[in-house]
């Protein structure tokens, strides 16, 4: 196999063509698997961040509601004196 002045490969046999086609097919499969791994990793990361965000949001919401209810009912915290 040689390269012409234009940078294109010049093949001298079908065997060389088939070898390059097989290599390109394997490279495509590798790239596809790398994309799948990246997708699943990203999906897992967003899932973890979403869960943490949901928990933090729920805690903040409950704290706000509790504070509002206490204020409406006139309940205040009493400090323990030792």
């Amino acid at each position: 196999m040689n390269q012409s002045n234009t940078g294109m490969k010049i093949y001298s046999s079908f065997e060389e063509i088939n070898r390059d086609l097989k290599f390109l097919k394997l490279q495509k499969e590798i790239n596809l698997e790398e994309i799948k791994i990246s997708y699943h990793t990203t999906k897992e990361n967003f899932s973890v961040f979403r869960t943490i965000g949901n928990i933090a949001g729920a805690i903040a919401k409950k704290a706000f509601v509790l504070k509002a209810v206490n204020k409406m009912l006139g309940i205040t915290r009493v400090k323990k004196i030792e």
Side-chain angles (χ1 to χ4, degrees), residues 1-70:
M1 172 180 53
N2 298 323
Q3 285 198 328
S4 69
N5 292 338
T6 61
M8 293 180 55
K9 293 182 181 180
I10 299 174
Y11 294 96
S12 59
S13 70
F14 285 108
E15 185 179 300
E16 289 178 357
I17 294 170
N18 287 335
R19 186 192 66 234
D20 276 4
L21 287 173
K22 185 176 181 180
F23 172 80
L24 292 172
K25 181 181 177 185
L26 291 172
Q27 188 64 50
K28 177 184 169 186
E29 290 175 14
I30 290 169
N31 292 340
L32 213 57
E33 289 302 316
E34 288 176 342
I35 289 171
K36 287 178 186 177
I37 290 169
S38 294
Y39 169 77
H40 289 296
T41 301
T42 302
K43 186 177 173 182
E44 288 173 5
N45 288 341
F46 277 122
S47 179
V48 168
F49 289 132
R50 185 180 307 131
T51 301
I52 291 170
N54 288 344
I55 291 170
I59 290 170
K61 184 177 178 181
K62 287 182 181 182
F64 176 77
V65 169
L66 184 61
K67 188 173 184 176
V69 168
N70 286 343

